[in-house]
Amino acid sequence: FQFWRPVFSSWRRPPRSPPRERTRLGRGRHTGRGRGGRRRRGRYHRPRPGHTAACMEKPLRRDRPSTWPSPSGAGTERGEALLRVLEQALRQTGRRSFLVLTHKGPDPDALGACVGLAGGLAQLLEADFRVATSGRIFRAENLAMVRELGLFFDELGNVDAARFAGGLLVDSQPGFGHTQIPTGLPLLAVIDHHRGSEDRCLSAGVRHRDVRDGVGSTSAIVWEYLQGLGVPLDTRMATALFCGVRYDTGDLSQNVSALDEQAYFELFRQA
């Protein structure tokens, strides 16, 4: 240490250059250029001439990959109608998130419909779809479904309705005793297979209502939407929808429609 001490004592840090002036353009001087002459876009960067706000807006729909199946089936018209409602809400509110809701203590049909609808629409629109539930999930088959598929949902009581452009309600309807809609959240769509009152949906301001009491499960209706829009299903989405159809129809033994049978066998192949 004594040997190297003179060397260390003779070394001095070179004087620093005076700090460059910071501007609103970024980290560089006047031009917003950082190291190596590369242009940095700071938070106050001004757009290039002719770069209008309209050009900077994100598209509402995602690009459709060529590997996706072609839209087909009876769900095409209903699916396009739902997409138009959601696109209108995106333009009106400027928010990029939607909330998918269901009844308290959801069963497999409600869980499958939530997972399928949120996952399918997220592939079509430039928006985020969150699922929020209330109440505990009971029964062994319900808990096994959540555990095996790795499903995670937001707690409805902790949701800030002001962050969302609107809500979508599945496997339930406004006015049902076991269903809670956050205050201030516009309800855009209702998809269900239970008998209910159309007037309650109208009074709640629902723009898209698809209630078919002749169908045995809401998951089958959601599957028809995804088929009609040509959305591919991954294993988790297909399994969740299959569990919903299987649970509410008792393995096609009760309240079965032609749509339930078709969804049951098609989803079974993909699950």
Side-chain angles (χ1 to χ4, degrees):
F1 178 80
Q2 295 295 333
F3 175 79
W4 291 104
R5 188 172 181 179
V7 178
F8 289 135
S9 61
S10 63
W11 182 83
R12 294 290 183 270
R13 181 186 297 273
R16 292 184 178 181
S17 57
R20 292 182 296 180
E21 179 186 358
R22 292 181 181 268
T23 66
R24 289 172 62 87
L25 289 176
R27 294 183 58 183
R29 177 183 177 123
H30 303 299
T31 60
R33 296 184 183 274
R35 296 180 179 177
R38 183 165 57 90
R39 188 174 185 85
R40 294 178 179 270
R41 292 176 178 261
R43 60 179 298 187
Y44 298 108
H45 176 74
R46 290 174 291 187
R48 300 186 302 273
H51 207 65
T52 61
C55 297
M56 298 173 66
E57 291 181 356
K58 293 183 178 180
L60 298 181
R61 295 204 185 189
R62 300 184 186 272
D63 295 333
R64 185 182 183 85
S66 58
T67 56
W68 280 20
S70 301
S72 61
T76 304
E77 183 177 353
R78 294 188 178 96
E80 289 294 337
L82 176 60
L83 290 180
R84 288 192 294 269
V85 169
L86 300 182
E87 288 173 344
Q88 183 181 8
L90 290 175
R91 295 189 186 97
Q92 291 177 348
T93 63
R95 301 163 188 162
R96 292 278 177 168
S97 297
F98 292 97
L99 192 63
V100 182
L101 305 169
T102 187
H103 55 77
K104 183 178 180 180
D107 56 8
D109 187 32
L111 296 175
C114 287
V115 173
L117 188 65
L121 293 178
Q123 299 182 60
L124 296 171
L125 295 178
E126 288 286 352
D128 182 30
F129 290 81
R130 306 295 298 248
V131 178
T133 61
S134 61
R136 294 181 58 187
I137 299 177
F138 295 98
R139 295 188 177 182
E141 61 269 24
N142 302 1
L143 296 173
M145 176 181 175
V146 173
R147 181 180 63 254
E148 295 299 327
L149 296 181
L151 304 180
F152 297 94
F153 309 112
D154 294 338
E155 181 62 36
L156 186 60
N158 300 331
V159 167
D160 182 11
R163 294 179 49 248
F164 299 93
L168 299 88
L169 182 61
V170 298
D171 202 37
S172 187
Q173 299 178 45
F176 283 12
H178 60 356
T179 301
Q180 178 184 358
I181 308 297
T183 304
L185 180 71
L187 192 59
L188 302 175
V190 171
I191 301 176
D192 191 21
H193 71 112
H194 300 100
R195 186 175 301 176
S197 173
E198 184 176 359
D199 296 336
R200 291 181 177 178
C201 289
L202 294 176
S203 61
V206 176
R207 306 178 192 176
H208 180 85
R209 179 180 181 270
D210 187 3
V211 177
R212 292 180 248 175
D213 54 3
V215 180
S217 63
T218 305
S219 295
I221 300 177
V222 172
W223 172 82
E224 185 187 51
Y225 274 72
L226 302 182
Q227 288 292 111
L229 295 172
V231 178
L233 303 180
D234 56 24
T235 303
R236 190 178 73 158
M237 291 171 56
T239 305
L241 290 170
F242 173 78
C243 290
V245 178
R246 180 177 181 269
Y247 177 86
D248 260 27
T249 62
D251 275 324
L252 302 181
S253 64
Q254 59 187 12
N255 304 324
V256 183
S257 66
L259 178 59
D260 294 304
E261 293 182 358
Q262 185 180 6
Y264 183 95
F265 292 111
E266 289 295 334
L267 291 169
F268 179 78
R269 298 187 183 98
Q270 303 177 50

